[in-house]
């Protein structure tokens, strides 16, 4: 895709890259925005998570587009969430005054107001006086579409071939036909409001007066607090668990119940490297684990919505089996991967990718994650329907024929298929949980066939997935390399957490893949994955490690490792996918996988500590 700068305006002032961790997340259960600690929105897709970006300066500081809002004099800033909500507050401290920005997206009900995907920014001066500047510089279509800005009083309308947005403000606006800006000074007690809406034939521009903005802020606070009140977690790490739950809810696409893996694309796993992927889709594995986390906390309606999404997907088929590994948030199966060559990538980390070619991979472990989530929902939520059971039975029958084959595995390697032990483990989980459901509810099933395959998988793992030389379960059959995914073995109830073979494996993983409580997925040098470069430690594996230690009875080690992991969260309690060598956050942000594993580790460590 060629990039034409004609008509796109100048780069916003002070273009630079803010660290991944220096952001908070807001959203309306359709899409989300990242707000940096300096008050800049530098990632926002409208009207959905997977739509092209409108603000994308996190991927290209000069050409991605942003919504700057900040004091015009040097200040210190601090950022926090209004307690127990997803309303984000960025505070500015200067000698002459203190002010704050309240950023939020109302969760609207009606079809017209809901279609606005309104993003509200309230600026309030709480002490003294501060001068402010705002600059709204959208770059539509990932920065590839030209647009115009038309100003009428306090309303600016941005139009591109694919999308129209309206900015309404109580402050005076200026424009050059492409961007819009404002300069204003606030005295103590004064405020201004900026509201950005998607508009169309049925959704005209609409102002957002100060009183309305305040009422919307109060309603949004009530929405999130009412939702969070449904949590039944009251353990030692309540604040972190609640924040993780709020993140998972923010990553939910309300129309279908789908849960995206992350709201971003192409944030690098290694700065300057090529390990940059689009995570704005629904991974069956990730979302199924989310069901477990949400059920643990008592959020059965979210679990029910996603189980419905999953079962609808099972009624189709994929070239690799009953399910493909991921889907669009609307359930679509085609997610073609291409590169945005006109964007330089975060800190020069190219390529920037949209779509995901891993869609066509065979990853057998997804069936274990999926059936386990259905099993838990059937047990803790509501009994699944007879039609859903028919689909589960068909998946189990298919696995009996196909479990014993190589695949790309949980880490989506691009170096060819292998006989990954984790994939075998989760095939065992799929059949074992299906058998449990059938037995508990007296459902029709080919139990002898399922049992035969289940036991064959168990014996294969024990014989060929165990390395006597390493005294450990290993990454692939008849292999000698370690893999952190095997931390799931006791959590999946495949092996007792105190079994000598498992304790020996835990020691081996600790020696080879753990660095001061942080866990690497595997060693790419010893086990090539088809990609250049290295990566950081994988945060979900670090939380799995905590849980494995706790289940093994090593409670002091588990608690210390957990507390250390919490120090790597950002200032708001958010986690990206990975942690870099100097403690920086890497990869797409925030990541559902990381936050759901935090919830699980906290829940089980609490229980073990008593």
């Amino acid at each position: 895709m060629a990039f034409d700068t004609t008509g796109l305006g100048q780069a916003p002032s002070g273009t630079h890259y803010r660290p991944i961790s220096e952001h908070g997340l807001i959203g309306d259960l359709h899409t989300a925005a990242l707000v940096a600690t300096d008050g800049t929105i530098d990632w926002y897709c409208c009207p959905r998570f997977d739509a092209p970006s409108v603000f994308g300066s996190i991927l290209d500081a000069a050409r991605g587009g942003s919504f700057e809002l900040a004091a015009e004099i040097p200040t210190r800033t601090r950022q926090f969430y209004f307690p127990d909500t997803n309303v984000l507050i960025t505070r500015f401290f200067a000698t002459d005054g203190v002010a704050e920005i309240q950023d939020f997206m109302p969760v609207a009900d009606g079809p017209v107001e809901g279609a606005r995907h309104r993003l509200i920014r309230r600026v309030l001066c709480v002490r003294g006086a501060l001068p402010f500047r705002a600059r709204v510089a959208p770059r539509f279509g990932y920065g590839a579409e030209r647009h115009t800005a038309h100003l009428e009083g306090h309303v600016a309308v941005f139009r591109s071939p694919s999308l129209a947005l309206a900015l309404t403000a109580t402050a005076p606006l200026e424009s050059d036909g492409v961007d819009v800006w404002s300069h204003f000074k606030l005295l103590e007690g004064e405020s201004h409001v900026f509201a950005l809406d998607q508009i169309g034939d049925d959704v005209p521009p609409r102002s957002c007066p100060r009183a309305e903005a305040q009422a919307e802020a109060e309603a949004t606070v009530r929405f999130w607090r009412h939702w969070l009140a449904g949590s039944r977690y009251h353990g030692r790490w309540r604040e972190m668990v609640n924040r993780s739950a709020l993140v998972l809810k923010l990553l939910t696409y309300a129309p279908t119940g789908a849960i995206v893996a992350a709201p971003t694309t192409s944030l690098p796993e290694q700065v300057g490297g090529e390990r940059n992927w689009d995570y704005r889709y629904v991974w069956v594995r990730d979302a199924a684990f989310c069901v477990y986390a949400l059920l643990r906390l008592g959020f059965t309606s979210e679990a029910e919505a996603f189980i419905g999404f999953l079962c609808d997907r099972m009624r189709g088929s994929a070239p690799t089996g009953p399910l493909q590994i991921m889907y669009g948030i609307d359930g679509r199966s085609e997610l073609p991967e291409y590169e945005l060559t006109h964007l330089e990538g975060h800190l020069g980390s190219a390529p920037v990718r949209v779509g995901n070619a891993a869609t066509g991979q065979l990853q057998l472990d997804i069936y274990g994650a999926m059936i386990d989530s259905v099993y838990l929902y059937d047990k803790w939520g509501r009994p699944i329907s007879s039609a859903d059971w028919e689909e589960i039975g068909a998946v189990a029958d298919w696995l009996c024929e196909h479990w014993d084959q190589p695949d790309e595995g949980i880490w989506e390697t691009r170096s060819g298929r292998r006989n990954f032990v984790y994939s075998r483990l989760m095939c065992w989980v799929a059949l074992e949980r299906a058998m449990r459901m059938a037995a508990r509810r007296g459902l029709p099933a080919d139990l002898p066939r399922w049992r035969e395959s289940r036991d064959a998988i168990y014996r294969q793992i024990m014989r060929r997935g165990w390395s006597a030389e390493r005294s450990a379960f290993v990454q692939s059959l008849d292999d000698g390399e370690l893999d952190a995914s095997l931390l799931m073995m006791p959590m999946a109830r495949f092996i007792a957490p105190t079994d000598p073979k498992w304790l020996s494996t835990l020691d081996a993983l600790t020696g080879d893949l753990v660095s001061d409580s942080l866990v690497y997925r595997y060693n790419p040098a010893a086990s090539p994955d088809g990609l250049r470069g290295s990566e950081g430690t994988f945060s979900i594996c670090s939380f799995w490690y905590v849980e494995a230690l706790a289940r093994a009875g090593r409670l002091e080690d588990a608690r210390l490792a957990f507390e250390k992991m919490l120090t790597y969260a950002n200032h708001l309690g958010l986690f990206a996918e990975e942690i870099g060598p100097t403690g920086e956050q890497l990869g797409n942000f925030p990541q559902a996988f990381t936050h759901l594993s935090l919830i699980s580790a906290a829940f089980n460590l609490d229980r073990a500590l008593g």
Side-chain angles (χ1 to χ4, degrees), residues 37-49:
T37 51
D38 65 359
T40 300
I41 296 176
D42 57 13
W43 181 253
Y44 176 57
C45 299
C46 187
R48 310 186 337 172
F49 290 108

Side-chain angles (χ1 to χ4, degrees), residues 110-126:
V112 174
E113 290 309 303
R116 289 185 185 279
H117 303 291
R118 172 162 275 191
L119 194 162
I120 296 177
R121 313 199 74 184
R122 298 179 71 208
V123 194
L124 305 91
C125 184
V126 298

